């Protein structure tokens, strides 16, 4: 099983970073505006709809406020197609004004890892822009988004 771990520094208070990540029903508004067109919650599932109409169904495994950790699994609609996917986001404090986002993903088949890594790196950079923009009073996080899919 391939594992991808990506860390990115974010110039925003760690609690703000976590507030955005843990808001599981607002991905389209707070985390990936422009990239995700809509987010729907259905019990333990989250459905992300992209501007091209493609939908991804995820199972929300855990939202842990103490650890600032969100775990989820893509169970339908992964691009590229995967037979297994499990990922987590963790927010670590650098200092009171900055944090690190750690995105760890386990997937099968292993051959998809390089393509998924590129999508993760690109997606993390988009998340960073949206989170940092929203941390600045009066900034519009929607300006940070770019169309496409993770």
């Amino acid at each position: 099983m391939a594992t991808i771990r990506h860390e990115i520094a974010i110039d925003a208070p760690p609690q703000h970073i976590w507030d955005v990540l843990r808001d599981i029903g607002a991905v389209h508004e707070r985390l990936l505006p422009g990239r995700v067109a809509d987010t729907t919650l259905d019990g333990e599932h989250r459905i992300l709809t992209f501007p091209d109409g493609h939908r991804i169904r995820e199972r929300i495994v855990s939202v842990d406020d103490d650890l600032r950790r969100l775990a989820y699994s893509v169970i339908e609609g992964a691009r590229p197609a995967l037979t297994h996917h499990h990922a987590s986001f963790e927010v670590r404090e650098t200092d009171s004004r900055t944090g690190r986002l750690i995105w760890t993903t386990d997937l099968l088949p292993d051959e998809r890892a390089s393509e998924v890594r590129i999508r993760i790196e690109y997606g993390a950079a988009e998340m960073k822009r949206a989170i940092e923009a929203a941390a600045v009073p009066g900034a519009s996080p929607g300006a940070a988004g770019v169309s496409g899919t993770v």
Side-chain angles (χ1 to χ4, degrees):
M1 182 173 308
T3 297
I4 300 165
R5 180 178 164 97
H6 183 72
E7 291 191 37
I8 190 164
I10 299 180
D11 189 18
Q15 189 57 47
H16 171 74
I17 300 167
W18 175 240
D19 288 342
V20 172
L21 284 170
R22 76 163 328 282
D23 193 356
I24 61 172
V27 174
H28 63 296
E29 296 170 334
R30 300 186 70 194
L31 187 61
L32 289 168
R35 176 178 287 255
V36 175
D38 191 36
T39 307
T40 306
L41 298 178
D42 180 16
E44 67 181 13
H45 295 152
R46 171 171 70 185
I47 298 112
L48 304 177
T49 303
F50 294 88
D52 67 358
H54 181 75
R55 294 170 59 145
I56 292 177
R57 178 178 289 273
E58 301 172 327
R59 175 175 289 118
I60 302 300
V61 176
S62 172
V63 179
D64 188 320
D65 289 317
D66 293 332
L67 296 176
R68 290 186 183 145
R69 181 178 181 271
L70 167 68
Y72 69 99
S73 181
V74 174
I75 57 174
E76 185 179 305
R79 287 188 194 170
L82 302 172
T83 58
H84 175 80
H85 174 278
H86 181 271
S88 66
F89 292 112
E90 292 180 60
V91 177
R92 301 271 172 86
E93 186 171 318
T94 304
D95 58 44
S96 63
R97 293 172 295 160
T98 61
R100 294 190 72 69
L101 175 61
I102 302 165
W103 189 354
T104 305
T105 304
D106 297 318
L107 64 101
L108 288 171
D110 294 344
E111 299 78 34
R112 302 279 193 223
S114 61
E115 184 177 352
V116 172
R117 179 181 302 282
I118 291 167
R119 290 173 180 261
I120 285 171
E121 290 171 357
Y122 187 79
E126 285 188 86
M127 291 175 195
K128 171 184 170 70
R129 287 191 294 273
I131 292 168
E132 288 177 348
V136 176
S140 170
V146 177
S147 294
T149 58
V150 173

